[in-house]
Amino acid sequence: MASLRALLRVVRPLRPWVGYSAPRSFAAGANFEYIVTERKGKDGTVGLIRLSRPGALNALCNGLFMELNHALDTFENDPAIGAIVLTGSDKAFAAGADIKEMQNRTFQSCYSDKFLAHWDRLARVRKPVIAAVNGYALGGGCELAMMCDIIYAGEKAQFAQPEILLGTIPGSGGTQRLTRAVGKSLAMEMVLTGDRISAQDARQAGLVSKVFPVETVVEEAIRCAEKIAKNSKIVAAMAKEAVNAAFEMTLTEGNKLEKVLFYSTFATEDRREGMTAFVEKRKANFRDK
Ligand code: HXC
């Protein structure tokens, strides 16, 4: 124990270079530097993660991602949490990857350090995740929102992939997820010009499912997450897996996977409970079994 403490004393000051030591007190959220976490919803079934790096408009630095991934792991492993909401501030969901952190990178350092390799943990979360976007969702910020399952936007939100203006291209799924969400022409226009689109245009293009006044978007996202959390968690995970398969598979393969997952729901107690509750004209009481 004493030698572990001695090791931590040496490693902690070096964490920007060697990695990051995860905060010990998650529930209090006290040790996070770049995010704030809370449990929301009437029964605490929603995990809220708020990006909080106000001095840099929530620019996505390495430390922020380490904390975000830690929070996602914690909510993912918490049986009481049924859905997660990811948000930022009124001014910025996230203004992109931290340009100052990237400025002096070389090809060699990107390749050797596997730069961005841990940036897509969010896309692998099995529980449903809703992005509540206000203000700027630019570059990596737009990519982060697109890793979520549902995007709600505040009226003044702006989405863009402006990497081209910095002499680079999106590196965390922007060219792929944006194209699948809004189609080739608009995706090309955004990626090639760096132009921003409004919340209303994003809604029309299918990037965003609903637009709300700035001050209500987070509570609306929590309301939606709470609704999702009332359903069977295991069946929700299967539903999410099936929808996501539409991005990875041919129609035939996807339909096959859907069928397998549909049959699999019949192995759960929750499927029996859901149908029995309907027949008995009562509310279903899912127990995630
Ligand atoms: C680092 C950033 C930042 C960023 C803003 N800041 N965006 N720092 N990386 N992406 C910092 C500014 O340097 C400044 O710090 C503070 O936040 C406030 O920003 P201002 O520019 O003063 O605010 P404003 O005039 O309101 O302009 C807001 C803005 C502008 C339009 C969002 O900041 C901007 O264009 N930011 C960059 C957006 C961008 O290009 N994103 C893509 C990044 S590349 P100081 O200390 O000066 O006060 C990317 C690649 C992804 O995301 C690939 C892999 C994930």
Side-chain angles (χ1 to χ4, degrees), residues 161-180:
Q161 296 293 159
E163 290 87 349
I164 195 93
L165 305 173
L166 299 167
T168 185
I169 69 169
S172 220
T175 60
Q176 304 304 298
R177 292 195 179 93
L178 185 65
T179 308
R180 283 163 168 79

Side-chain angles (χ1 to χ4, degrees), residues 273 275-282:
E273 165 63 10
M275 294 190 182
T276 304
F278 175 81
V279 172
E280 293 177 355
K281 298 187 187 300
R282 62 174 174 80

Side-chain angles (χ1 to χ4, degrees), residues 37-38 45-50 68 71-78 81-87 121-122 125-132 148-150 221-222 224-226 228-229 240:
T37 61
E38 284 175 78
T45 55
V46 177
L48 176 70
I49 304 173
R50 192 183 291 278
L68 174 61
L72 290 170
D73 284 341
T74 305
F75 284 142
E76 179 86 314
N77 294 326
D78 183 338
I81 295 292
I84 298 167
V85 171
L86 178 64
T87 193
R121 168 71 185 97
L122 178 58
V125 170
R126 295 180 93 182
K127 289 180 181 172
V129 186
I130 304 171
C148 298
D149 303 307
I150 296 170
I222 291 170
C224 176
E226 225 182 334
I228 291 169
K240 172 168 171 169

Side-chain angles (χ1 to χ4, degrees), residues 51 57-60 65 86 92-97 119 122 131 133-151 157-163 170-179 181-182 186-187 190-191 194-198 202 207-208:
L51 307 180
L57 299 178
N58 293 336
L60 305 166
F65 261 100
L86 178 64
F93 179 73
W119 282 38
L122 178 58
V133 176
N134 272 320
Y136 300 116
L138 311 180
C142 186
E143 292 174 306
L144 198 64
M146 290 191 293
M147 286 180 210
C148 298
D149 303 307
I150 296 170
I151 306 179
Q158 295 184 41
F159 297 83
Q161 296 293 159
E163 290 87 349
S172 220
T175 60
Q176 304 304 298
R177 292 195 179 93
L178 185 65
T179 308
V182 306
L186 182 56
M190 289 173 69
V191 169
D195 283 353
R196 299 181 207 154
I197 61 168
S198 66
L207 180 62
V208 156

Side-chain angles (χ1 to χ4, degrees), residues 32 37 91 128 166 231 236 253 274:
F32 286 130
T37 61
K91 186 156 186 206
L166 299 167
N231 297 324
E253 287 165 346

